[in-house]
Amino acid sequence: MTNSDPHSGAATPGSRLPLDGVRVLDLSSNAPGPFCTMVLADLGADIVVVDRPPVASELGAQVSIPNAQVDGLARPHFDAFARNKRRIGVNIKKDGGADIIRSLAARSDVVLIEMRPGKAEAAGIGYSDLSALNRGLIYCSITGFGQNGPYRNRPGHDVNYLGYSGALSLFARRDAVPPPPPNMIADYGAAGLLAATSILAALQARHVTGEGQFVDISMLDATTYLLAEWMSTTFDPMGDPTVLADYPPYDVYTCGDGRLITVGCVEPRFWTTLCEVIERPELVALAGDVTRRTELRTELQRTFERKTVTEWLDLLDPHDLPVGAVNSLDELEDDPQIQARDMVTTLSSEHGPVRQVGIGPKLSATPGSIRRLGVPLGADSDEILDELGYSAATVGQLRGAGTVFG
């Protein structure tokens, strides 16, 4: 993908990438880790993913998890998490497997790992093991609950961390059970991005100290961190952290064509203008009456059913109001703002056109880029082992022993 527009986030041929020269050893396999290294890879880091031997899915054929070590990444070129990365297949339980990991760590700037506390140490690839080989190593561990505390060894998924943090309660209308959202919050928006930010901070600190460090990312911590504003209003006796969870001027309504429209008219000037433009000025006063919120929501729903979502947006947009359509993922690439920002991009490949999410960070001088589509598990094993100094004969022995694959 090439583009000279400084706002597109696309690199021009030969341009420098902000993380050129940074080597990351990715030992993760589940959502936050691969997302974190996708961000770093898009910005130029050399990501070496250590693939585990593929296993059958425990979740059933109806469930698909991007980049999980399931069924061998049969279509890796469609997997955005796999792009811009090199892959080596290593069975750490086989003879020589841990040695390969240690050799890779010795030449890396960053190690990213997802294992419950104590597991990496038991395998000989804990922080103390690897930092002894590389004093500048930044070792980032992503776990559900962190390295300490009574929950440290519990399993968990996005919905569990949302529940413990209190975030899930904010999705519910009053007296209702909150629906679990997709795993984009704790996994990606919280832990994945916090890990990437923390790694970059640790790299900057190393410029000053010359020393690496251990980075402890808890998915529960990360989700709780997102709640800074809501926690502030909770701890303030005058605050109400649920004010927008059951507030008709901040809601979603069904239009006459069955499509949805989002309304975010929280500020009085927006709310007043909305009511005037939809020809319901009598609704202005109802926003502040908690006892009439059900009535207000019902009236707004009846009103929005009078037109299609396109008709409403054509009417409302000229009045500078925070309203918008709810796109399906199939509709996303046709949205003119998404197009303008190159947030859905089409890439050519031997498999034909491949669509993926674009580059999120937009850096004007050193933008990120998609330089390589995902490859199968262990596709770069020989190349990476050659860089480590392994002879062809040794690699053949490791393959024969099942230590290396791909």
Side-chain angles (χ1 to χ4, degrees):
M1 180 177 73
T2 59
N3 193 323
S4 60
D5 180 358
H7 303 294
S8 71
T12 55
S15 63
R16 178 172 173 80
L17 294 159
L19 295 182
D20 274 346
V22 175
R23 292 176 171 177
V24 179
L25 178 60
D26 186 356
L27 302 175
S28 69
S29 60
N30 293 318
F35 178 73
C36 169
T37 52
M38 181 196 77
V39 174
L40 300 178
D42 285 351
L43 297 176
D46 177 15
I47 310 293
V48 172
V49 179
V50 175
D51 291 316
R52 297 174 297 180
V55 296
S57 172
E58 297 177 353
L59 299 174
Q62 76 277 15
V63 179
S64 175
I65 300 181
N67 207 57
Q69 302 285 318
V70 173
D71 302 328
L73 280 178
R75 294 166 64 80
H77 50 286
F78 281 105
D79 184 0
F81 287 0
R83 71 191 188 197
N84 293 331
K85 298 177 182 180
R86 299 192 292 160
R87 314 189 78 92
I88 180 173
V90 178
N91 188 339
I92 195 172
K93 296 180 180 180
K94 297 286 188 177
D95 288 344
D99 290 336
I100 294 173
I101 303 301
R102 285 190 282 267
S103 295
L104 286 166
R107 65 193 292 272
S108 297
D109 297 290
V110 179
V111 166
L112 178 66
I113 193 165
E114 293 173 335
M115 288 186 177
R116 293 193 211 177
K119 296 292 187 181
E121 289 76 11
I125 56 171
Y127 175 60
S128 61
D129 301 300
L130 301 186
S131 62
L133 305 172
N134 180 353
R135 61 176 292 202
L137 183 67
I138 293 152
Y139 188 104
C140 180
S141 170
I142 302 177
T143 60
F145 299 99
Q147 298 298 307
N148 63 298
Y151 300 166
R152 64 193 291 268
N153 287 314
R154 288 188 181 182
H157 278 300
D158 201 287
V159 67
N160 307 121
Y161 311 126
L162 293 180
Y164 279 121
S165 68
L168 194 58
S169 68
L170 300 176
F171 287 84
R173 299 194 190 281
R174 296 185 189 277
D175 302 320
V177 175
N183 67 314
M184 66 183 69
I185 300 175
D187 281 350
Y188 306 139
L193 285 180
L194 189 62
T197 304
S198 301
I199 287 169
L200 296 177
L203 285 169
Q204 175 60 28
R206 193 180 66 178
H207 282 304
V208 177
T209 67
E211 301 286 341
Q213 58 183 299
F214 185 89
V215 179
D216 178 8
I217 300 296
S218 154
M219 297 179 71
L220 176 56
D221 290 358
T223 308
T224 306
Y225 202 33
L226 293 180
L227 301 180
E229 179 181 0
W230 289 269
M231 292 175 71
S232 297
T233 55
T234 296
F235 299 148
D236 180 349
M238 300 298 291
D240 180 6
T242 64
V243 63
L244 295 182
D246 188 39
Y247 191 50
Y250 188 88
D251 212 330
V252 180
Y253 295 93
T254 303
C255 297
D257 56 353
R259 293 191 63 198
L260 303 175
I261 188 170
T262 60
V263 177
C265 295
V266 178
E267 294 82 358
R269 64 188 177 91
F270 287 142
W271 174 240
T272 299
T273 301
L274 175 71
C275 292
E276 291 173 350
V277 175
I278 66 174
E279 299 181 352
R280 297 298 305 272
E282 76 279 8
L283 300 181
V284 172
L286 298 188
D289 190 341
V290 176
T291 65
R292 301 183 69 181
R293 284 183 175 177
T294 299
E295 175 189 351
L296 176 55
R297 183 175 291 106
T298 299
E299 290 303 314
L300 285 171
Q301 179 56 61
R302 288 174 177 169
T303 300
F304 281 114
E305 288 173 357
R306 297 173 184 170
K307 299 179 185 291
T308 68
V309 69
T310 300
E311 290 170 339
W312 277 120
L313 293 179
D314 287 344
L315 176 64
L316 297 170
D317 279 348
H319 297 275
D320 190 34
L321 291 169
V323 297
V326 175
N327 289 326
S328 68
L329 293 182
D330 290 336
E331 296 166 331
L332 188 62
E333 65 179 323
D334 296 323
D335 189 291
Q337 183 63 26
I338 296 295
Q339 292 176 345
R341 300 290 291 178
D342 283 336
M343 284 312 298
V344 174
T345 185
T346 300
L347 304 139
S348 59
S349 79
E350 60 182 298
H351 309 281
V354 173
R355 289 178 297 173
Q356 287 190 3
V357 67
I359 305 296
K362 304 292 196 285
L363 281 69
S364 63
T366 56
S369 66
I370 302 173
R371 304 171 301 285
R372 185 194 199 196
L373 293 175
V375 295
L377 300 182
D380 305 296
S381 294
D382 288 346
E383 173 188 297
I384 294 168
L385 289 169
D386 180 65
E387 292 174 3
L388 294 176
Y390 283 77
S391 68
T394 301
V395 172
Q397 292 171 356
L398 291 169
R399 287 186 177 278
T403 303
V404 171
F405 65 93

